[in-house]
Amino acid sequence: MRGPEPRPLFLVRASYRRRRLRDAARLAPAAAALLWTLPLIWPRGETRISVVLVYLFVVWGLSVAVAALMARALLRADAAEPGPRDAPDEREPPE
Amino acid sequence: MLSFNGLVAISATYVAFLFAVAFAADRRAARGHDGWLRSPWIYTLSLSIYCTAWTFYGAVGYAARSGLEYLTIYLGPSLVMLGWWWLLRKLVRIGRAQRITSIADLVSSRFGKSTSLGVIVTLLAVVGVTPYIALQLQSISQSFAVFGAAGGARWHGLDAGSVALWSAAGLALFTILFGTRNLDANERHHGIVMAVAVEAVVKLGALVAVGVFVVWGLGGGPAGMLARIDASPIAAWEQSGGRWVAYTALSAAALLCLPRMFQVLVVENADESHLATASWAFPLYLLVMSLFVVPIAVMGLELLPGTNPDMFVLTLPLSQGREGLAVWAFLGGFSSATSMVLVATIALATMVSNHIVVPLWLRARSGGAMMSGDVRSVVLTARRLSIVAVLGLGYLYFRLSGGGAALASIGLVAFVGVVQVLPAMIGGLFWRGATRGGAAAGLLAGFGLWLWTMFLPSVGDGALLSAQVMADGPWGLDWLRPRALFGAATLDPVLHAAIWSLGINTALFVAVSLLSFPGPVERLQGAQFVNVFDHSDNPGSWMRGAAEAEDLLVMAQRILGPAEAQQVFARAAGAQGKAGWLPDVTPGFIQELERELAGSVGAATAHAMLGQMTQGASVSVEDLIAVADEAAQIMEYSTRLEQKSAELERTAGALREANAKLTALSVQKDAFLSQISHELRTPMTSIRAFSEILQAGGLNPQEQTRFAGIIGEEAGRLTRLLDELLDLAVLESGQGRLDVRAVRLDEMIDRALAAALPEGGSMKVLRRRAEEAVALETDADRLTQVFINLITNARKYCDAPAPELRIEVRDAGRAVDFIDNGSGIAPEQSRVIFEKFSRLGDPGKAGGAGLGLAICREIMSRLGGAISYLPGQGGAAFRVALPATAPSLSNA
């Protein structure tokens, strides 16, 4: 299906950064989920609810900001190097 | 105080405003001025239908009951949006590449355009979303009731049911007007999306306004508010970890699986890059929506204890005499409810008409779309009826459930229901091994378990399931109790239902997928979905069929509308370099047309319709494989033909060779005949001449005796010649019997010498008897005949003054040499001596026909040996090679 196009073993710096940006975009929700479940390990009954409330909203706000920056970067990267076609880790062998 | 009629008038005005907005947006889009209608901001705002009346009213109630847990419902979707690059981007790309019209279409299309899967998902969605629509109707009627309670006597006689009924009717009208105006090629509804976006702003503004009033007007600013929160009944942070994680996951999944969310996220998406904006803007929207929920709940609990916390958003401003704010809040809640109902109804109606009504209709009219009336009107009618039916079902559920249950619990029932699609959907997007059987098994099991553990118990106590079944299980089987399946009695009911239904759903999906084998279309679609970024174009699944371009145009006009269909056809014709309206019916064109039609009636239906048109039946990959088989057969046939022709050529060559041989043989035969007639004629001439002399008479007895002697001699020669010819013919034809026995070589040589050399001849024979004492398995008479012939030849032709014949046995009896001491045979003559009628020197001298050596050669070859001339032995030398073993008896 896909021809064995020769690919360089190492990427130039810009492409490398774009790859890592996509990695970060995939990891972002996991990181946010982790931060949002953090209050579950705080001591029950002793933690004031306002602290939890403020913490959750601050994390929320920060994720929105990070997501906004990443979305812009991802769009730019996608325009520079369209599609994940060149990312070997996204390729699968045919089944 | 605001009257009932006043509130109705405000609602009506607001709805009229929304009508205007939707109408204007549709007009602009129709004229092609849809630039800003397709902006990422409109897209993000349209996603806000996630926040229904459940959010607007219910979140506050949820917070008042369970503290911060309400946040999970908004954190989950935020996570999905933050992870857009991984999942949503793929979903949207697939939706656009495959012209997906609904979540049922997605699942059906992924698993080989399966109609049955489309039906399952549609039913699941209808059953799951109906309570959700009921929830919206309930919130509208409750909000009216709040104003009624505050208004006192002038609201006398207000019936919650009639408010819900009129709301449902109005919503049905709105949805029909803007949702089924046309069968859009890509199922986008600009008017509705625009109205939803406006409502998104209204409801966000209303909630923020109430929140600001509560925090700054009543709570004494942020610091004071936080202090009040810590002092409130919900201050204790005693969140259950299981519920927190499970609800976050459920709501995340619901964002993907709710039909209305799928509609706005995937179907109405105009540009993939809008996702990038929405990925942060929508979480921000959710953040702002949930920001003031806790302050409102806390303030409500403080100021209005004992009232329904679900309505704090309305009752708080009302209790403080802020009627304007309350009306805004009312409109916010109204917006939340109506926008959800609008989109959900469209999504459900699309699914019902595409996956249930149209397939049934097509099946009922097996004559095909060609013969039918107006498909377009059928689809539109089906959709309108579906809208009415869906809203009717919602209203029915509202009446059945009595409108009593807390808003939040109804929402969760719907969430767990629609999330049953998740395993099949995610599995289909990322796992090529997922099969139709697996998806169906998982969906049906999850659907059933959800009905049993969550939906039926939710419809009011004792309404569908008796209290006894709830307590003791059906037929007293206590491990089947709806709230304690398989003995899991201690779990939270929602968690209980979600774990069992989703767990068994996923397990069956994976297990059946692993065990079953996907059909060709499934595998094709699987590859298309999973590797959508590698090839965003469709599979080439059409062969040129019997359909003519004109027939296709007639059908397409019925579905897409004349103008649009003609445009599609003209464009295709232009692309093929043809003038006019009708392009060639190429597979590419049919594929393109199928995609256009799929945008209106769904992939499975479009495929079936074009299938009926192009080949009178569905053109599937199975058909293609059959065609490929046929091609393979043709190729095989032609290979066979080639082989045959090569064979024929070989045969012809063989025939030519045989012909050449026959011709050569014929020449030989002619030569042989002329020779034989010559050989026969010579003695016959003498016999005739002398017999004529004898007849003439006048001869003395001496002469008579001499002539008669000559006649007898010549007749004897003739007889010998004929005997030899007969002998040769018998040998050559392979007839005649070999008499194989054990014999001794020396005895045979003795016999031959006795026969060939008369006693007292001049020839001297040299033998070595010791070596001749060898036993052989052969035909003694024939071999002796050969020896006699050779010895006779030596006696006749040896020209030495003292003739000698040496008989030497070589190789322990494998060969016998006969060597005389004459002048031998010249090399050029030695090559032909074994041929018939070849004679050396004077024919008369030998007195034979020249057949002796030819006969010897035949005999030796029959016996499995050979005879050859040995040059350079100082005389004529013949070697008789004896067979190593007994000669073959096959010819005997």
Side-chain angles (χ1 to χ4, degrees):
Chain A
M1 249 200 239
R2 300 173 209 118
E5 47 202 73
R7 279 198 303 269
L9 187 55
F10 299 111
L11 298 161
V12 293
R13 194 179 175 84
S15 314
Y16 181 87
R17 285 263 66 88
R18 283 194 282 270
R19 293 278 170 80
R20 300 295 81 82
L21 184 65
R22 285 173 191 146
D23 292 349
R26 288 191 197 96
L27 282 174
L34 201 70
L35 288 174
W36 272 325
T37 46
L38 213 55
L40 291 177
I41 57 173
W42 293 353
R44 308 280 159 92
E46 296 166 32
T47 312
R48 279 186 300 152
I49 197 164
S50 58
V51 175
V52 181
L53 190 68
V54 170
Y55 167 80
L56 288 174
F57 275 97
V58 166
V59 171
W60 205 337
L62 284 177
S63 0
V64 167
V66 170
L69 291 175
M70 276 205 311
R72 279 183 53 175
L74 279 168
L75 278 189
R76 264 207 306 272
D78 214 32
E81 185 186 15
R85 191 176 280 269
D86 50 357
D89 50 321
E90 292 193 29
R91 294 185 162 214
E92 292 177 60
E95 276 176 36
Chain B
M1 199 66 205
L2 193 64
S3 71
F4 174 70
N5 286 339
L7 197 58
V8 170
I10 288 174
S11 311
T13 314
Y14 180 64
V15 169
F17 165 67
L18 289 179
F19 258 84
V21 167
F23 188 69
D26 259 357
R27 282 280 294 274
R28 280 187 74 87
R31 284 206 225 103
H33 304 295
D34 56 351
W36 61 274
L37 292 177
R38 300 159 145 262
S39 86
W41 306 107
I42 301 290
Y43 178 68
T44 305
L45 284 175
S46 73
L47 296 186
S48 76
I49 53 156
Y50 181 76
C51 303
T52 63
W54 180 25
T55 297
F56 197 83
Y57 298 122
V60 173
Y62 198 160
R65 292 184 195 95
S66 318
L68 296 188
E69 196 175 277
Y70 82 96
L71 277 174
T72 54
I73 307 299
Y74 309 98
L75 293 180
S78 298
L79 287 177
V80 173
M81 292 309 293
L82 290 177
W84 70 287
W85 183 263
W86 175 71
L87 178 59
L88 282 179
R89 200 172 60 103
K90 188 168 197 176
L91 196 59
V92 168
R93 176 73 66 90
I94 288 170
R96 293 167 62 78
Q98 302 279 333
R99 299 284 180 124
I100 300 295
T101 59
S102 65
I103 188 160
D105 198 24
L106 178 87
V107 174
S108 143
S109 186
R110 161 62 180 84
F111 296 102
K113 312 197 175 179
S114 147
T115 313
S116 51
L117 272 181
V119 171
I120 295 175
V121 177
T122 302
L123 287 179
L124 178 67
V126 168
V127 179
V129 175
T130 303
Y132 217 152
I133 290 175
L135 172 67
Q136 313 304 316
L137 298 177
Q138 180 186 342
S139 76
I140 294 176
S141 80
Q142 271 187 0
S143 62
F144 265 89
V146 164
F147 277 89
R154 272 176 297 172
W155 289 69
H156 193 67
L158 169 72
D159 175 23
S162 69
V163 170
L165 184 61
W166 283 110
S167 309
L171 282 166
L173 185 69
F174 196 106
T175 316
I176 288 172
L177 275 181
F178 290 100
T180 60
R181 275 165 69 91
N182 55 342
L183 280 175
D184 226 16
N186 39 25
E187 204 59 60
R188 293 207 188 102
H189 307 89
H190 296 287
I192 289 207
V193 167
M194 198 60 219
V196 163
V198 169
E199 289 187 301
V201 176
V202 171
K203 68 191 180 198
L204 184 69
L207 205 59
V208 169
V210 174
V212 166
F213 166 69
V214 165
V215 172
W216 278 275
L218 301 175
M225 197 63 237
L226 284 177
R228 277 168 194 267
I229 291 172
D230 281 335
S232 72
I234 60 169
W237 170 245
E238 281 166 353
Q239 178 60 46
S240 141
R243 280 165 66 103
W244 184 269
V245 173
Y247 284 20
T248 307
L250 263 184
S251 58
L255 182 80
L256 299 165
C257 298
L258 279 170
R260 68 170 194 279
M261 291 316 295
F262 191 88
Q263 177 83 22
V264 285
L265 257 178
V266 179
V267 181
E268 306 275 357
N269 176 285
D271 188 337
E272 220 172 278
S273 70
H274 291 175
L275 264 182
T277 308
S279 75
W280 60 269
F282 185 58
L284 183 64
Y285 185 94
L286 292 175
L287 186 158
V288 179
M289 277 301 269
S290 27
L291 189 57
F292 295 106
V293 167
V294 172
I296 295 171
V298 166
M299 197 53 78
L301 286 171
E302 194 178 316
L303 296 180
L304 305 166
T307 59
N308 182 3
D310 281 337
M311 288 291 135
F312 280 163
V313 178
L314 279 181
T315 50
L316 263 179
L318 273 179
S319 69
Q320 302 300 312
R322 301 289 186 124
E323 199 161 275
L325 190 59
V327 169
W328 190 1
F330 167 80
L331 285 183
F334 188 73
S335 298
S336 310
T338 50
S339 57
M340 179 272 170
V341 174
L342 279 180
V343 182
T345 312
I346 288 182
L348 285 182
T350 306
M351 283 157 72
V352 170
S353 76
N354 283 0
H355 294 282
I356 296 181
V357 179
V358 176
L360 281 179
W361 181 81
L362 274 180
R363 191 162 297 176
R365 315 180 60 102
S366 48
M370 270 294 291
M371 304 303 143
S372 71
D374 198 339
V375 179
R376 184 178 155 75
S377 82
V378 167
V379 174
L380 281 179
T381 310
R383 217 163 275 190
R384 285 173 187 147
L385 288 177
S386 308
I387 287 171
V388 172
V390 164
L391 280 166
L393 274 176
Y395 178 71
L396 196 69
Y397 186 93
F398 166 70
R399 296 300 294 221
L400 263 181
S401 68
L407 295 180
S409 64
I410 299 188
L412 283 170
V413 171
F415 271 26
V416 179
V418 295
V419 160
Q420 301 303 327
V421 182
L422 191 77
M425 184 167 110
I426 299 293
L429 289 190
F430 290 97
W431 183 35
R432 283 176 64 177
T435 67
R436 178 187 309 183
L443 277 168
L444 287 174
F447 190 19
L449 282 166
W450 169 73
L451 280 178
W452 182 247
T453 58
M454 205 164 187
F455 183 79
L456 295 181
S458 83
V459 192
D461 280 336
L464 290 174
L465 287 182
S466 70
Q468 202 224 330
V469 169
M470 291 292 295
D472 301 329
W475 308 290
L477 295 172
D478 116 290
W479 53 275
L480 279 180
R481 275 176 294 163
R483 285 274 149 86
L485 205 58
F486 309 123
T490 54
L491 275 177
D492 169 67
V494 176
L495 221 52
H496 170 266
I499 286 174
W500 281 123
S501 60
L502 276 175
I504 292 176
N505 177 344
T506 311
L508 274 178
F509 169 63
V510 172
V512 176
S513 289
L514 289 176
L515 293 175
S516 56
F517 193 81
V521 185
E522 269 182 271
R523 299 180 77 179
L524 205 64
Q525 289 293 94
Q528 293 272 322
F529 274 55
V530 174
N531 301 328
V532 66
F533 292 113
D534 284 338
H535 36 70
S536 287
D537 45 342
N538 244 13
S541 58
W542 288 106
M543 287 297 294
R544 183 184 177 132
E548 294 299 323
E550 201 173 338
D551 302 333
L552 289 173
L553 179 61
V554 169
M555 185 193 66
Q557 278 178 347
R558 287 182 181 143
I559 296 170
L560 299 173
E564 196 159 341
Q566 283 161 16
Q567 198 189 335
V568 168
F569 275 67
R571 197 171 59 226
Q576 291 176 2
K578 292 181 72 176
W581 299 98
L582 297 177
D584 287 333
V585 186
T586 61
F589 170 66
I590 295 184
Q591 196 181 323
E592 190 190 332
L593 187 64
E594 185 190 335
R595 250 184 278 166
E596 291 286 343
L597 296 180
S600 294
V601 292
T605 304
H607 198 71
M609 289 176 96
L610 275 183
Q612 285 185 343
M613 297 287 296
T614 45
Q615 293 202 339
S618 177
V619 178
S620 59
V621 175
E622 282 96 335
D623 297 331
L624 282 190
I625 285 171
V627 171
D629 278 350
E630 219 166 273
Q633 274 171 12
I634 291 171
M635 274 174 65
E636 197 192 311
Y637 184 61
S638 88
T639 315
R640 276 215 302 270
L641 275 183
E642 254 170 53
Q643 279 172 355
K644 281 251 166 69
S645 89
E647 217 174 279
L648 278 178
E649 232 165 76
R650 276 199 298 278
T651 313
L655 279 177
R656 268 197 300 276
E657 236 169 76
N659 188 40
K661 256 187 213 161
L662 281 178
T663 316
L665 278 177
S666 162
V667 171
Q668 276 179 11
K669 183 201 72 187
D670 288 347
F672 177 72
L673 278 179
S674 78
Q675 233 170 354
I676 221 156
S677 33
H678 175 75
E679 293 292 336
L680 291 175
R681 208 170 140 204
T682 317
M684 282 306 275
T685 312
S686 356
I687 290 169
R688 244 180 73 196
F690 285 108
S691 59
E692 273 169 17
I693 292 171
L694 281 177
Q695 272 176 351
L699 298 171
N700 58 35
Q702 263 174 341
E703 280 169 333
Q704 274 184 14
T705 312
R706 195 160 68 85
F707 292 156
I710 290 171
I711 288 174
E713 208 173 295
E714 290 299 314
R717 236 175 92 189
L718 261 180
T719 311
R720 267 201 316 281
L721 178 63
L722 289 173
D723 280 348
E724 282 179 353
L725 274 175
L726 206 61
D727 206 7
L728 191 62
V730 166
L731 282 170
E732 279 186 339
S733 68
Q735 291 164 351
R737 186 171 289 265
L738 289 179
D739 182 17
V740 178
R741 281 179 283 119
V743 285
R744 288 178 61 91
L745 183 59
D746 48 357
E747 283 173 10
M748 284 190 286
I749 295 176
D750 284 344
R751 268 170 60 199
L753 284 172
L757 292 180
E759 285 296 320
S762 59
M763 179 153 264
K764 186 180 170 193
V765 178
L766 302 171
R767 294 173 66 182
R768 279 181 288 199
R769 289 200 165 267
E771 288 170 12
E772 290 171 8
V774 177
L776 292 174
E777 283 266 333
T778 187
D779 184 329
D781 291 342
R782 286 297 187 183
L783 195 54
T784 308
Q785 189 185 349
V786 172
F787 292 164
I788 290 171
N789 208 301
L790 289 176
I791 295 165
T792 312
N793 277 353
R795 179 174 59 83
K796 281 184 192 163
Y797 297 113
C798 185
D799 48 3
E804 266 180 25
L805 176 68
R806 277 187 292 142
I807 300 175
E808 295 182 358
V809 177
R810 303 197 178 274
D811 299 337
R814 291 288 169 77
V816 186
D817 291 352
F818 294 85
I819 306 166
D820 65 24
N821 59 349
S823 55
I825 300 166
E828 61 271 18
Q829 283 179 322
S830 73
R831 273 196 291 274
V832 296
I833 48 175
F834 292 108
E835 299 301 323
K836 287 167 223 160
F837 303 110
S838 67
R839 264 176 304 215
L840 303 175
D842 174 25
K845 184 183 173 189
L851 290 173
L853 282 175
I855 291 173
C856 287
R857 192 179 61 170
E858 286 302 325
I859 290 174
M860 287 320 294
S861 78
R862 279 295 304 279
L863 291 177
I867 181 165
S868 53
Y869 181 74
L870 283 179
Q873 300 296 322
F878 291 88
R879 168 166 293 176
V880 178
L882 299 173
T885 55
S888 158
L889 300 176
S890 62
N891 290 330

